[in-house]
Amino acid sequence: MTLSFLSQQWIAFWRSRNKGKSLAIRATMAVLVFYLLLNVLVVAFFMDKILTKTHPGEDPLQVFNSFILYYFLIDLLTRFQLQELPTLSVRPYLHLPIKKNQIVNYLSITSLFTVFNLTPLLLTIPFLLKILVTQYGWPPFWGYAVCILGFTLFNHFFSLWLKRKVNLNGFWMLGFFAILLVVWLLEFYFKAITLSTVSKDLFNTIADQPLTSAISVFFALAMFVINHNYLKSNLYVEELQSSKTSLKSSTEIPYLDRFGMVGDLAANELKLIWRNKRSKSVITMCAMFMLYGLVFYTKPGFGYASTIFCGMFMTGIFIINYGQFMFSWQSGHFDGLLASKVNARDFFKSKFLLFSIFSTVCFLLTIPYIYFGWKVIVVHFIMYVWNLGVNTVLILYFANQNYKRIDLTKGSAMNWEGVGASQFILSIPLLIAPYIIYLPFSLLGYPEAGLGLIGVTGLAFILTQDFWLTRLANLFKRKRYIIAEGFRNQ
């Protein structure tokens, strides 16, 4: 049956109207993947020399052992963000005598064909052949290989399972990142655990007793069964949800119903975000950026300049990441918006409301960074005001210049759909505008005055929001048919 599914998917691909474009994209992706894997092989071949240079006087194998668990933790985070869920339209098969297990087995098998599963093996096997076999022989090599394969498959099926859980309930994502935060605190703050020591002891044990590597295979099989059973029990959720859900007012979200039409539009857009792959990935990116401060604030000597950068991105990541593709998110029903009675000012007010909600949540999530000093939270609040005042206006202004369509059902990994010149132009004022205000004061020895002026500027834009709304709405009225034509012609 798996071969039948593959055959039908192959036929569907060649009969699709966009097969030429799909072939071009796949060919480009194949070249990029081949180049990346070639780089991985080069790194793997010279890894012993790299480790000797970075850790002089230490055994390269022991250094390698201490880093393996860190690598698989990074691999898991990367998969969670970039790895696509395997898909199959199940509706055509619902009336046929096909068991759920057959469909789930197809999804599980086809999901294995990903570059994420090949990379760990290409990165480690050449190094192990050069170093491990010469020191310990072949049995430890096979123990390492089996263990690495087990960790790879565990990460693969765990990321698929977690992404499916997150698709149904966003709190799973918060729980996942909360666990990662606890692990980070235990290692770097409380010094209760040391992941490098655990990793080294684990693989030294495998070198002495290769059969212990079977434990990783057990965990991989257990994760496969959990993912298989979960997918089997929820196989029809996405397909049947639309037919079982009755139409309700979008103002069923309690907080938004007080804003009337503006709240209704914002609630509709919230549903658009949660029900589609591409837009939902923005929420994932926002959650990951809440850990962005750990990159800068854990280093000694961080100053106001880096805090401004972190504060702008952490409190405004939704405005920046989601707003850069405004109005492309609604390209599929943009003609319907133009034909409706939606007022242009209400349309833009709903965007301001949506940005305010997400930016406020992001700011609240950054409050724990007060651990690094109260000045950090002060700068975060200043950049929060800046994002609500200045960046929202900039984002919505450039939205009127964006005519690129986006297919919301596609994922975000290596997806350049909707990206145009306006995104690159937009990044310039977003990045440099606060520094244009801050740097002159900083160079004169008054950095706090520069921060204060950034906050005052953001507040001034918030207080004059009606003026900017009118200007944006008038610009939209002049551009709306050009935008609609751009969406239709792609």
Side-chain angles (χ1 to χ4, degrees):
M1 184 54 68
T2 299
L3 293 177
S4 297
F5 284 139
L6 289 171
S7 174
Q8 290 163 20
Q9 295 296 302
W10 177 261
I11 294 171
F13 170 77
W14 285 104
R15 289 179 177 176
S16 65
R17 292 183 299 176
N18 299 321
K19 64 179 179 182
K21 181 179 178 181
S22 299
L23 281 172
I25 293 173
R26 287 168 187 255
T28 304
M29 290 295 299
V31 173
L32 290 174
V33 168
F34 177 77
Y35 174 74
L36 291 173
L37 292 180
L38 191 62
N39 281 298
V40 169
L41 275 175
V42 171
V43 171
F45 185 78
F46 292 104
M47 188 181 295
D48 55 331
K49 294 180 174 58
I50 295 172
L51 294 179
T52 301
K53 183 171 289 188
T54 56
H55 296 77
E58 297 185 40
D59 184 0
L61 183 61
Q62 294 303 312
V63 177
F64 174 81
N65 288 347
S66 65
F67 283 130
I68 296 180
L69 290 186
Y70 285 111
Y71 169 80
F72 279 106
L73 183 59
I74 296 172
D75 174 72
L76 181 60
L77 290 171
T78 306
R79 288 174 184 269
F80 181 73
Q81 174 59 24
L82 299 178
Q83 185 173 339
E84 296 290 342
L85 291 172
T87 57
L88 175 70
S89 179
V90 300
R91 188 176 292 277
Y93 303 103
L94 292 180
H95 66 289
L96 299 177
I98 299 176
K99 297 179 180 180
K100 284 187 179 181
N101 277 334
Q102 293 175 322
I103 297 176
V104 174
N105 287 338
Y106 168 81
L107 293 173
S108 299
I109 292 172
T110 54
S111 72
L112 293 172
F113 297 98
T114 171
V115 67
F116 289 104
N117 290 338
L118 189 59
T119 302
L121 297 175
L122 291 179
L123 187 62
T124 57
I125 295 301
F127 171 80
L128 295 176
L129 286 172
K130 288 179 64 177
I131 302 298
L132 187 65
V133 173
T134 57
Q135 292 186 18
Y136 294 91
W138 284 102
F141 167 80
W142 291 114
Y144 270 65
V146 169
C147 187
I148 289 170
L149 180 63
F151 279 132
T152 301
L153 294 178
F154 176 85
N155 276 7
H156 174 77
F157 289 112
F158 179 78
S159 64
L160 296 181
W161 172 80
L162 183 61
K163 291 186 79 166
R164 290 188 174 108
K165 297 289 280 187
V166 169
N167 284 344
L168 296 179
N169 191 335
F171 285 105
W172 281 92
M173 180 174 64
L174 296 177
F176 174 62
F177 285 108
I179 292 173
L180 293 180
L181 180 60
V182 169
V183 171
W184 178 84
L185 289 173
L186 288 175
E187 175 156 4
F188 295 103
Y189 180 67
F190 296 106
K191 308 294 184 183
I193 60 172
T194 305
L195 201 59
S196 60
T197 302
V198 175
S199 180
K200 184 185 294 186
D201 292 343
L202 172 63
F203 282 90
N204 283 337
T205 302
I206 292 174
D208 295 333
Q209 302 176 13
L211 292 179
T212 56
S213 62
I215 297 175
S216 67
V217 178
F218 170 79
F219 281 109
L221 290 174
M223 198 64 244
F224 168 79
V225 172
I226 292 172
N227 180 69
H228 184 281
N229 292 339
Y230 181 78
L231 183 58
K232 180 179 177 181
S233 61
N234 294 276
L235 184 62
Y236 303 127
V237 170
E238 293 297 327
E239 290 291 336
L240 302 181
Q241 188 176 17
S242 59
S243 60
K244 289 185 177 181
T245 303
S246 59
L247 294 176
K248 297 180 182 179
S249 169
S250 57
T251 53
E252 62 191 6
I253 301 177
Y255 172 73
L256 297 178
D257 58 4
R258 69 188 68 181
F259 294 98
M261 175 58 72
V262 174
D264 197 47
L265 291 170
N268 274 328
E269 194 151 0
L270 280 172
K271 291 182 178 181
L272 176 147
I273 292 171
W274 285 112
R275 290 177 177 176
N276 295 280
K277 290 182 180 179
R278 180 78 178 272
S279 52
K280 195 186 297 182
S281 65
V282 173
I283 305 300
T284 305
M285 180 67 73
C286 291
M288 294 185 69
F289 258 84
M290 293 303 100
L291 303 175
Y292 196 53
L294 299 178
V295 177
F296 290 89
Y297 300 151
T298 53
K299 297 179 181 178
F302 67 90
Y304 282 130
S306 59
T307 310
I308 289 173
F309 185 80
C310 288
M312 180 172 62
F313 273 91
M314 284 195 288
T315 64
I317 184 59
F318 179 82
I319 297 174
I320 296 169
N321 204 21
Y322 183 80
Q324 66 177 314
F325 298 112
M326 203 76 70
F327 308 110
S328 296
W329 301 114
Q330 296 164 304
S331 57
H333 58 271
F334 194 78
D335 286 334
L337 286 173
L338 296 185
S340 67
K341 295 181 180 180
V342 176
N343 182 275
R345 277 181 60 87
D346 288 341
F347 185 58
F348 277 90
K349 277 185 178 180
S350 69
K351 308 299 182 186
F352 275 101
L353 177 59
L354 195 68
F355 289 158
S356 299
I357 292 172
F358 276 95
S359 192
T360 301
V361 171
C362 289
F363 169 71
L364 294 175
L365 290 176
T366 66
I367 288 178
Y369 284 107
I370 198 173
Y371 169 78
F372 297 101
W374 63 269
K375 292 182 179 180
V376 170
I377 297 303
V378 171
V379 176
H380 282 191
F381 180 75
I382 290 172
M383 298 314 299
Y384 162 70
V385 174
W386 171 270
N387 282 318
L388 291 185
V390 179
N391 280 352
T392 49
V393 174
L394 286 174
I395 287 284
L396 292 174
Y397 170 78
F398 279 96
N400 283 308
Q401 321 301 322
N402 185 21
Y403 316 138
K404 299 288 185 178
R405 183 183 180 90
I406 286 180
D407 184 353
L408 295 175
T409 61
K410 295 180 180 178
S412 60
M414 305 301 290
N415 186 351
W416 295 94
E417 188 177 39
V419 178
S422 61
Q423 278 73 42
F424 296 101
I425 297 172
L426 174 61
S427 62
I428 297 173
L430 285 179
L431 290 175
I432 70 173
Y435 288 102
I436 291 176
I437 298 174
Y438 169 76
L439 286 178
F441 290 92
S442 178
L443 294 174
L444 293 172
Y446 302 101
E448 288 81 4
L451 289 171
L453 188 55
I454 291 175
V456 169
T457 305
L459 184 60
F461 270 74
I462 293 174
L463 294 176
T464 57
Q465 192 176 89
D466 283 341
F467 169 78
W468 299 111
L469 274 171
T470 302
R471 298 295 298 272
L472 290 169
N474 291 337
L475 179 61
F476 175 74
K477 289 176 183 178
R478 296 196 300 270
K479 292 272 192 176
R480 54 185 172 177
Y481 296 114
I482 300 175
I483 298 172
E485 185 179 359
F487 291 158
R488 285 194 296 266
N489 291 336
Q490 296 178 48

